[in-house]
């Protein structure tokens, strides 16, 4: 270890960065009994939401549910600090129902900071980490690998540790762009970090540049809401967390407002397009297609006459509002003019400019499925640093990195969620296996088996894993088992309970607005009618025992969509066969003679853990997979 | 892509191991964990000193499971649905790992002939096997380790040659309109998936109001177009292999005159292909672009009077095998009991999709049968041909068509030939000979795609929401992709971003 004269502090885990990934990671390791230090550039930016003020939304809501089911914090924290909540896609099938909330940003951040502060094993430290220390470690086969043994902060102090988790988000070598103006800061004017890139490069980990953007914040008092459409939350709010009492979330909600851009807005943008740093070629980073700036929207979708703009409050303690739909990196004057063309925004006063931000991140292909780097033992990475975007994506990775750090230090196998088990599984598998060239956002269309990955069954899918890792209590886990048992029993009962075509039954069916019976059917068959709900059947189901809504909801979904669920289960069976064919870590791809060159390079680079993962990699063909299968059959590869 | 590998060793595949060609003998190979089980469903081993009826009733039947490896036995191929014997064959069982593929393998030596082999192969597939990809037996031999690793390089060449071959052949066959068609349909499906996904991901921005109705129309059209391709493909196969034709009618209705007319006047190809052990005889007759295989089960060189000589039972069997039934009615004799019995049999065949032409013969004599009387014999009078879609047009011919003629005066016979060609779309399809889905695997994928699309329509009609359609739409997209050998991968995400303006 270098720098022997430095002040040394001993801990188990160092978490670098205290955004949404860092907070989940640090809470997980601390709660799993590891002494943890979390480093932040500024304690006032813990769990900061530098872009939009919402948590959840399509597929992201699923991630929050999954985080909660596994024992993470995000769901609980937003339940305490949301100011509006809405279940999206309610008219659609249960798989795409998704919870979205508006957060009180300041409250969210403060509340998370408090949770961190109260965690016994967790220490918060405001400092920039400038170096990573490694030592040689011998594995069972006698091979020597570098392993993390400490981090150095800007003051020179060394924190000795057994593992470190990098969650630098958008802070590393960040620069913010507004027109021709470039400032070297992190998001929201926060100080950026700079030294870690060189430290990573010394360890053979290279970085790349990604870009994202955010719209302006305005003084809400200067807007005319009478020209916009009000957008209210749901009458009955469903909490994100399974631990939150639904009674506690029935609060007075704050509305959002909808307005639109118009031809005039688009004209101003088109006339000034050469002043946009992206179109002028100043920005080098790759931006996300799903989060286009208003400039991008106008240029790429020129046939659209207008684009939606949502005005969303930033919190209860501020007048600032977020102008959702109009992120931009145009110069000040253009921003002012274009915003003021939007109905209701004619007299708007901008508090913070819209800006684009560029930052260093890694290509997550250098990570294992556990989020540990392949190059350095005990070094984990999570969040936007891995090339994702979004608070929820970051938190999900942070939690998994935290859990897997703890499992590693306990000498246990990592927790790797399959694509068929969780959106988190899809997220991480996509990040580490696929060739991602822009910040990665979760989308429902990325999940092949989404009918099984519903927000309503995250606990059934994941609680047991959370319990095994140690973040879920025995009682919570037992409740899931109880739930599973009663769901199965009730489905069985409905399938076996027949109703005949008696006059009283027919009359009841008419009264609930459905057609009469021609022959006797089971209650399950009746429930398959689109217009019928579980509750409606109570009148002809005298043996029914009272069951919790959480159970009857699952019963109803299980019966109504049985055919689809069965089809999906078949697809999953096929998929898992390949997932279960593991590739030993010790494989030497140069030894596999018949691989094509491109495939060999890709496989050496990504080192997939299963045949399934290999088959999803770009550049690997079915023939290559066949070669691999034979090789694994024939050759005893040390599993390391 | 993943869908391709998951099938590597878990399912059972089948194909003609000798190539589908006109040859004296053809081998169908079934390989995979369930090869013996599948073959056993359709193979009846011949047992000495046993009444044949016992054999098929399944009493004390010897199964293939009990048959020793590496031997060859006489057996019958029987359709388990109706117990119909399709061919007399020689069968061998090779057990894991001592077979070409190292898997359990059954080889069926048939009497060759493209049509027969195809029929047996289809039967094997109906009973649980999957059509093999080109080179797949070799691939399995390789995966099973039968071929030494030191030769892996060479084998990989073979496998990729197999893939290359399949890609090339599929591209060859699809070059031109059909390939473009599949691509176009696939693009349309992808667009709809992307639209649904965009709307689900960003419900604030994209509304799905009124969408299901539009989608139903579109998907119905796509499924119909696919159906048309499938029908084309199947018709094309019939054309390539010859239209199996049977002439029926009571004695003296003019059957031999018709046969002689068809053979005599147009003996472009007349060959006698006598099966080595079967008592059948085929007359091959060319009419324009089409070949008729006029099958006679009466016995060697006996080309007359099916009904007369072998009775209604044999006529029934002949009709079951036929693609086309030519039914002769003697208009000078009036409708008799025998005509009714034949008509009943034809009704059954028509309901199974067979095509039939009723020839009201002897118009040179005074007629005792009105068109109405003749029509009343059948449950499926011919609806008017509609020009809307070729599927409809073809289906219209899946019923009975009436013609009047005089064989003696050779009147109305040109119309008969024209009608046959039209029924099987000979002109149209033969011109496109190079472009339709010609291998069974492609037809199979197209059928699966169509089925998936029909499930989408069902979901719409059952009032399910949009997210349910996408499960089956995605399946349809995958199956369509397999026809033309295109990878699925990240097409969807690309489509979403390029078409729809998403996000904040």
């Amino acid at each position: 270890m270098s720098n022997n004269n430095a002040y040394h502090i001993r801990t188990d885990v160092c978490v670098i960065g205290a955004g949404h990934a860092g907070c989940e990671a640090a809470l997980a390791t601390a709660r799993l009994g590891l002494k943890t230090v979390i480093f932040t550039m500024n304690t006032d930016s813990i769990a900061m939401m530098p872009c939009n003020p919402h948590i959840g939304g399509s597929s992201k809501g699923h991630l929050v549910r999954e985080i909660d089911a596994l024992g993470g914090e995000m769901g609980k924290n937003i339940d305490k600090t949301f100011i509006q909540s809405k279940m999206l896609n309610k008219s659609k099938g249960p798989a795409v129902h998704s919870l979205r909330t508006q957060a009180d940003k300041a409250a969210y951040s403060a509340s998370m900071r408090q949770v961190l502060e109260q965690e016994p094993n967790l220490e918060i430290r405001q400092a920039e980490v400038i170096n990573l220390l490694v030592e040689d470690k011998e594995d069972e086969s006698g091979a020597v690998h570098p392993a993390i043994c400490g981090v150095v902060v800007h003051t020179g102090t060394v924190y000795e540790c057994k593992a470190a988790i990098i969650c630098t988000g958008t802070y590393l070598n960040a620069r913010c762009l507004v027109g021709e103006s470039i400032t070297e800061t992190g998001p929201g004017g926060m100080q950026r970090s700079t030294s870690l890139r060189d430290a990573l490069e010394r360890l053979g980990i290279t970085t790349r540049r990604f870009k994202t953007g955010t719209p302006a914040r305005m003084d809400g008092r200067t807007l005319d809401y009478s020209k916009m459409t009000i957008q209210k939350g749901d009458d009955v709010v469903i909490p994100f967390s399974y631990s939150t009492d639904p009674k506690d979330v029935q609060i007075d909600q704050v509305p959002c407002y909808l307005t639109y851009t118009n031809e005039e807005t688009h004209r101003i943008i088109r006339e000034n397009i050469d002043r946009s740093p992206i179109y002028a070629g100043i920005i080098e980073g790759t931006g996300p297609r799903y989060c286009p700036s208003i400039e991008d929207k106008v240029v790429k979708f020129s046939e659209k006459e207008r684009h939606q703009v949502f005005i969303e409050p930033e919190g209860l303690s501020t007048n600032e509002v977020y102008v959702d739909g109009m992120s931009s990196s145009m110069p000040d004057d253009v921003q002012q003019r274009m915003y003021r063309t939007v109905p209701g925004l004619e007299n708007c006063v901008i508090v913070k400019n819209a800006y684009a931000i560029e930052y260093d991140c890694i290509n997550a292909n250098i990570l294992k499925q556990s989020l540990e780097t392949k190059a350095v033992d005990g070094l984990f990475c999570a969040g936007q640093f891995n090339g994702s975007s979004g608070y929820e994506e970051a938190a999900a990775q942070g939690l998994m990195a935290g859990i897997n750090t703890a499992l590693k230090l306990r000498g246990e196998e990592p927790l790797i969620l399959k694509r068929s088990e969780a959106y988190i599984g899809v997220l991480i598998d996509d990040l580490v296996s696929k060739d991602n060239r822009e910040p990665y956002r979760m989308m429902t269309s990325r999940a092949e088996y989404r009918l099984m990955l519903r927000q309503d069954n995250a606990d059934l899918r994941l609680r047991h894993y959370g319990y095994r890792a140690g973040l879920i209590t025995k009682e919570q886990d037992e409740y899931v088992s109880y739930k599973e048992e009663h769901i199965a029993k009730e489905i069985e009962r409905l399938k076996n309970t027949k109703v005949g075509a008696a006059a009283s039954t027919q009359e009841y069916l008419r009264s609930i607005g459905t057609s009469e019976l021609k022959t006797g059917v089971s209650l399950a068959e009746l429930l398959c009618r689109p217009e019928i709900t579980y509750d409606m059947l109570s009148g002809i189901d005298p043996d029914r025992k009272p069951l919790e809504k959480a159970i009857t909801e699952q019963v109803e979904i299980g019966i109504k969509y049985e055919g689809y669920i069965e089809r999906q289960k078949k697809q999953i069976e096929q998929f898992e066969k390949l997932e279960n064919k593991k590739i030993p870590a010790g494989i030497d791809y140069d030894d596999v003679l018949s691989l094509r060159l491109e495939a060999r390079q890709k496989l050496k680079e990504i080192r997939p853990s299963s045949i399934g993962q290999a088959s999803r990699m770009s550049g690997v063909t079915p023939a290559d997979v066949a070669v691999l299968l034979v090789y694994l059959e024939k050759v005893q590869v040390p599993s390391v | 892509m993943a869908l391709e590998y998951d099938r590597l060793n878990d399912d059972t595949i089948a194909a003609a191991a000798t190539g589908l060609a006109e040859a004296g003998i053809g081998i169908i190979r079934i390989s995979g964990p369930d090869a013996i089980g599948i073959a056993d469903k359709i193979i009846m081993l011949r047992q000495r000193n046993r009444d044949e009826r016992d054999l098929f009733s399944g009493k004390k039947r010897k199964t293939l499971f009990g048959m020793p490896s590496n031997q060859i036995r006489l057996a019958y191929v029987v359709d388990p649905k109706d117990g119909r014997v399709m061919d007399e064959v020689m069968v061998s069982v090779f057990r894991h790992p001592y077979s070409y593929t190292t898997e359990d393998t059954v080889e069926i030596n048939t009497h060759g002939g493209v049509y027969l082999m195809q029929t047996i192969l289809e039967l094997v597939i109906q009973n649980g096997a999957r059509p093999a990809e080109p080179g797949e037996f070799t691939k399995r031999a390789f995966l099973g380790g039968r071929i030494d690793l030191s030769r892996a390089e060479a084998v990989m060449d073979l496998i990729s040659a197999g893939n290359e071959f399949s890609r090339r052949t599929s591209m060859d066959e699809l070059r031109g309109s059909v390939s473009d068609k599949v691509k176009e349909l696939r693009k349309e499906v992808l667009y709809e998936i992307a639209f649904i996904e965009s709307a689900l991901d960003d419900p604030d921005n994209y509304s799905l109001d009124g969408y299901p109705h539009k989608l139903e129309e579109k998907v119905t059209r796509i499924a119909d177009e696919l159906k048309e391709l499938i029908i084309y493909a199947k018709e094309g196969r019939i054309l390539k292999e010859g239209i199996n034709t049977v002439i029926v009618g009571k004695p003296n209705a003019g059957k031999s005159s018709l046969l002689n007319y068809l053979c005599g006047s147009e003996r472009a190809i007349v060959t006698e292909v006598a099966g080595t052990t079967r008592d059948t005889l085929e007359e091959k007759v060319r009419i324009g672009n089409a070949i008729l295989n006029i099958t006679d089960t009466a016995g060697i060189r006996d080309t007359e009077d099916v009904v007369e000589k072998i009775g209604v039972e044999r006529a029934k069997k002949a009709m079951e095998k036929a693609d086309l039934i030519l039914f002769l009615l003697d208009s000078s004799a009036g409708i008799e009991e025998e005509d009714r019995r034949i008509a009943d049999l034809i009704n059954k065949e028509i309901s199974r999709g067979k095509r039939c032409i009723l020839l009201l013969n002897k118009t040179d004599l005074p007629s005792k049968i009105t068109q109405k009387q003749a029509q009343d014999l059948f449950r499926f009078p011919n609806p008017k041909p509609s020009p809307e879609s070729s599927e409809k047009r073809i289906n219209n011919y899946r019923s009975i068509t009436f013609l009047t003629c005089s064989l003696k005066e050779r009147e109305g016979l040109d119309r008969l030939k024209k009608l046959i060609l039209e029924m099987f779309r000979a002109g149209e399809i033969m011109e496109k000979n190079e472009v339709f889905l010609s291998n069974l695997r492609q037809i199979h994928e197209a059928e699966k795609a169509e089925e998936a699309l029909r499930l989408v329509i069902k979901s719409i009609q059952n009032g399910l929401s949009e997210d349910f359609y996408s499960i089956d739409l995605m399946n349809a997209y995958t199956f369509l992709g397999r026809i033309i050998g295109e990878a699925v991968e990240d097409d969807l995400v690309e489509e979403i971003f390029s078409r729809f303006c998403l996000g904040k």
Side-chain angles (χ1 to χ4, degrees), chain B residues 400-446:
Chain B
I400 191 142
T401 310
F402 297 88
L403 272 186
T404 53
C405 68
S406 164
L407 277 161
K408 193 173 160 209
E409 303 294 326
R410 304 248 150 153
E411 269 172 24
L413 295 171
D414 283 345
R415 267 195 295 145
L416 171 64
K417 284 195 258 177
K418 240 178 86 184
L419 183 62
I420 293 173
L421 292 178
E422 203 180 306
M423 270 183 159
F424 290 89
R425 319 200 50 151
E428 232 169 296
I429 290 171
M430 290 316 273
E431 270 167 34
K432 291 181 182 165
N433 201 9
E434 297 307 311
V435 300
F436 51 68
L437 314 167
S438 72
N439 79 46
L440 199 55
R441 186 190 67 79
Q442 291 174 335
I443 295 176
H444 202 66
E445 303 291 4

Side-chain angles (χ1 to χ4, degrees), chain B residues 182-183 185-187 189 222 226 229 445-446 449-450 453 475-486:
Chain B
V182 173
K183 275 189 196 152
L185 296 180
R186 202 162 165 262
K187 226 164 116 187
V189 172
I222 296 173
L226 208 50
L229 283 184
E445 303 291 4
E450 194 207 336
L453 292 172
N475 276 341
Y477 180 72
T478 306
F479 294 134
L480 286 173
R482 287 203 201 149
I483 297 177
I484 52 175
E486 272 183 20

Side-chain angles (χ1 to χ4, degrees), chain A residues 337-410:
Chain A
R337 276 162 58 213
M338 75 176 192
Y339 281 129
R340 289 194 167 185
T341 59
V342 176
L345 271 57
E346 293 87 350
N347 299 305
C348 70
V349 171
I350 294 175
V351 180
K352 293 174 189 156
N353 274 113
Y355 64 90
I357 183 167
E358 246 189 355
Y359 53 95
D360 283 348
C361 62
I362 54 163
N363 179 343
N365 291 355
I366 66 158
L367 303 179
K368 300 177 189 172
Q369 297 262 355
S370 62
L371 296 179
E372 186 181 15
T373 58
K374 293 163 191 166
V376 181
D377 200 69
L379 180 63
F380 289 78
C381 304
Q384 213 148 347
F385 179 67
N386 285 352
S388 65
S389 91
Y391 313 138
E392 303 83 354
E393 288 87 338
Q397 293 171 64
L399 175 65
M400 295 309 290
I403 290 175
N404 282 327
T405 300
L407 291 174
K408 184 182 174 84
L409 297 187
R410 294 206 305 234

Side-chain angles (χ1 to χ4, degrees), chain A residues 49 364 632:
Chain A
M49 299 172 72
L632 293 178

